[in-house]
Amino acid sequence: MQLQQTEHGSLSRPRSRQIYADSCAVIPGGVNSPARSFAKLGLTPMIVASGMGDLILDVDGNEYIDFCCSWGSLIFGHAHPQIVQAAVQQMQFGSSFGIATEVELQIARQVVQLIPSIEKIRFVNSGTEATMTAMRLARGYTGRPKILKFTGHYHGHSDSLLIQAGSGVASLNPLATSKGVTPNTIADTLCCPFNDFAALRAFFSSPEAKLLAAVILEPVTGNMGVVPPEPLFLQMLQQETKRVGALLIFDEVITGFRLGITGAQGLYGITPDLTCLGKIIGGGFPVAAIGGRRDILDCLAPLGHVYQAGTLSGNPVAMQAGLKTLELLQQPGVYEEIERKAKRLADPIEAALRDKNGCIQRVGSMLNLFFGVKSVRKREDLAQLDEAMFAKLFNYLFDRGIYISPSAYESWFISHVHLDSHIDYAVDSILSFIRGM
Ligand SMILES: Cc1ncc(COP(=O)(O)O)c(C=O)c1O
């Protein structure tokens, strides 16, 4: 690692600062997705010039070990030679046709073969599109209006999913987390705390359960930090949705192909009706998908009357990158190696946090640190979350050439290409931060 230190020990980023300031004049907040602005961290974001393996380089020449990995998309790190080759090769023959290509069949067959609950699959461009389509499909299939989601679970930014619980379980009275969402839309999305058996039982015995089209959830949550499901919580959801005639939708945009080749559903032995995929399935390109039972997927146009479309859906460059990624993931020992690296990072930190006011939670290669709480099972457990301490940690690591996901509510991601020496450097840095807490 070659770090450009200033006298104050922090990395110098004059060019990043300039580009960010110029961007603010023409792009709202200077960024094309809010978390990139580092607004809550009191920092000017770095502007990235390139990435290779587990490293990114900013426009000022500073290197960072990347533990965000494009929010979990890059399970083989940056610019993996075989993924690059697959994409470049396709580009030489044309990058978009707006018409079917053979590679779409190849990757569809591959996913159907790998994930037993997926009998058919439709490719889209973003996780937001996948979950939005899943909502429409569930409503079209069941003829019912309501969706149940869980507080702290993020499913992209379509109107009906930008909703959290407001006054809690008892009233099931959700509030939109964005202006511009109409009261009618809000009324059709219900919220429960995650891992709360009593709240779920109460909901499923209420009259609203009969109006339910679907329950959507992140089976392992990555958007309120990493929160696994309680034993039997997913089983209960499966039983109850089936009993009331609603669909169970797993949003595996993060967990799909990360928690093993069959995702969270394989890990926990649950068969959802629909699955949303994203991130890893595009090998670093904008790809997502909705898959599931044949009778439900066949409700999509042109076979059925639930409309969904996309100019760039199934884009062949992105499909080739995704297909190559799935091929690489099936090589022997890949997931074991990623898990080994994740443990190498997490285990010493877990030990160091035992007698501190904080904890680390990890499932496979998803993990993060929480300050101010000792255990997180649901979003409501984060009332005392110490975001200021997280911002301090982020700053501390950032100045040492370590880039973690820039939010106290987000997972960090380990890739197959993280070097042991880089992980050890990150562990040493985090331990020294914890000692100084
Ligand atoms: C679980 C989950 N679902 C959906 C999305 C939305 O995906 P996208 O950002 O590709 O629209 C995200 C994004 O991070 C996510 O984490």
Side-chain angles (χ1 to χ4, degrees):
M1 299 276 305
Q2 288 195 338
L3 303 180
Q4 252 187 38
Q5 303 279 330
T6 67
E7 305 136 51
H8 309 293
S10 47
L11 296 183
S12 159
R13 300 185 191 91
R15 196 158 151 64
S16 283
R17 231 173 274 282
Q18 187 59 54
I19 293 175
Y20 182 66
D22 291 347
S23 299
C24 284
V26 287
I27 301 172
V31 289
N32 285 308
S33 194
R36 297 177 198 174
S37 72
F38 293 10
K40 279 184 147 179
L41 299 166
L43 275 172
T44 301
M46 84 288 221
I47 304 296
V48 176
S50 65
M52 182 59 70
D54 63 350
L55 293 176
I56 47 183
L57 190 74
D58 72 16
V59 290
D60 293 289
N62 302 307
E63 267 181 354
Y64 307 82
I65 306 166
D66 183 4
F67 289 107
C68 181
C69 295
S70 188
W71 303 96
S73 306
L74 302 174
I75 200 155
F76 290 108
H78 298 275
H80 187 284
Q82 291 184 55
I83 298 173
V84 170
Q85 192 192 11
V88 168
Q89 222 162 29
Q90 175 61 51
M91 282 167 72
Q92 289 166 343
F93 294 101
S95 57
S96 181
F97 307 105
I99 202 131
T101 54
E102 189 173 0
V103 65
E104 292 163 73
L105 166 65
Q106 291 167 336
I107 189 167
R109 270 198 179 139
Q110 181 75 107
V111 178
V112 165
Q113 218 173 53
L114 290 172
I115 303 183
S117 75
I118 298 185
E119 296 174 328
K120 282 199 170 182
I121 184 163
R122 166 89 33 110
F123 290 97
V124 295
N125 303 292
S126 69
T128 295
E129 257 185 272
T131 55
M132 179 185 74
T133 302
M135 296 303 97
R136 189 179 305 131
L137 187 51
R139 286 171 168 144
Y141 178 82
T142 60
R144 298 173 177 186
K146 304 280 184 191
I147 300 293
L148 179 72
K149 74 178 284 288
F150 293 94
T151 42
H153 289 211
Y154 177 67
H155 304 291
H157 61 95
S158 66
D159 283 5
S160 57
L161 291 168
L162 264 188
I163 284 161
Q164 304 283 353
S167 45
V169 202
S171 64
L172 283 170
N173 174 25
L175 296 172
T177 45
S178 167
K179 284 198 172 175
V181 179
T182 65
N184 285 347
T185 303
I186 295 172
D188 279 338
T189 303
L190 309 165
C191 273
C192 256
F194 189 47
N195 280 331
D196 188 330
F197 290 86
L200 206 59
R201 231 172 268 124
F203 170 75
F204 276 104
S205 49
S206 75
E208 281 195 298
K210 295 198 175 63
L211 299 174
L212 193 68
V215 177
I216 186 168
L217 76 155
E218 295 183 70
V220 171
T221 314
N223 285 287
M224 52 178 174
V226 176
V227 181
E230 290 284 304
L232 300 183
F233 191 74
L234 300 178
Q235 282 82 350
M236 181 177 174
L237 270 176
Q238 180 150 45
Q239 278 164 17
E240 288 300 302
T241 45
K242 200 166 179 184
R243 187 178 65 75
V244 302
L247 303 183
L248 179 61
I249 304 174
F250 270 19
D251 179 351
E252 297 226 43
V253 166
I254 291 180
T255 54
F257 301 114
R258 176 160 291 281
L259 300 182
I261 203 76
T262 49
Q265 54 194 270
L267 190 63
Y268 294 99
I270 302 288
T271 306
D273 299 297
L274 293 174
T275 300
C276 299
L277 295 167
K279 300 194 192 261
I280 289 174
I281 201 176
F285 284 82
V287 178
I290 168 161
R293 274 169 39 196
R294 182 178 294 109
D295 61 323
I296 306 173
L297 267 286
D298 281 348
C299 292
L300 287 175
L303 290 181
H305 294 290
V306 176
Y307 194 70
Q308 182 279 330
T311 300
L312 291 173
S313 292
N315 170 268
V317 178
M319 295 280 94
Q320 292 286 7
L323 187 62
K324 179 55 72 179
T325 302
L326 296 190
E327 186 187 309
L328 293 171
L329 282 171
Q330 290 172 76
Q331 291 176 338
V334 165
Y335 284 103
E336 289 80 357
E337 177 65 356
I338 303 173
E339 173 98 14
R340 182 189 69 76
K341 290 177 182 192
K343 271 176 73 61
R344 191 179 179 109
L345 182 73
D347 287 357
I349 299 169
E350 185 178 6
L353 281 172
R354 224 158 266 155
D355 55 358
K356 299 276 183 184
N357 189 16
C359 63
I360 187 165
Q361 295 198 170
R362 177 179 78 83
V363 179
S365 55
M366 299 167 63
L367 58 98
N368 77 296
L369 262 73
F370 295 98
F371 295 114
V373 283
K374 287 304 285 177
S375 156
V376 182
R377 295 172 61 242
K378 51 183 182 292
R379 178 68 174 76
E380 292 70 8
D381 295 338
L382 292 175
Q384 304 301 321
L385 185 69
D386 189 346
E387 290 191 60
M389 188 62 83
F390 174 82
K392 276 188 196 156
L393 173 71
F394 184 92
N395 273 268
Y396 186 85
L397 298 179
F398 199 45
D399 278 347
R400 283 161 181 76
I402 298 164
Y403 174 60
I404 57 173
S405 300
S407 161
Y409 295 88
E410 298 276 1
S411 172
W412 313 358
F413 298 100
I414 309 301
S415 77
H416 189 252
V417 300
H418 274 97
L419 298 178
D420 282 354
S421 58
H422 289 175
I423 292 173
D424 294 346
Y425 172 71
V427 167
D428 288 346
S429 303
I430 294 168
L431 294 185
S432 84
F433 177 84
I434 291 171
R435 276 193 296 274
M437 263 166 71

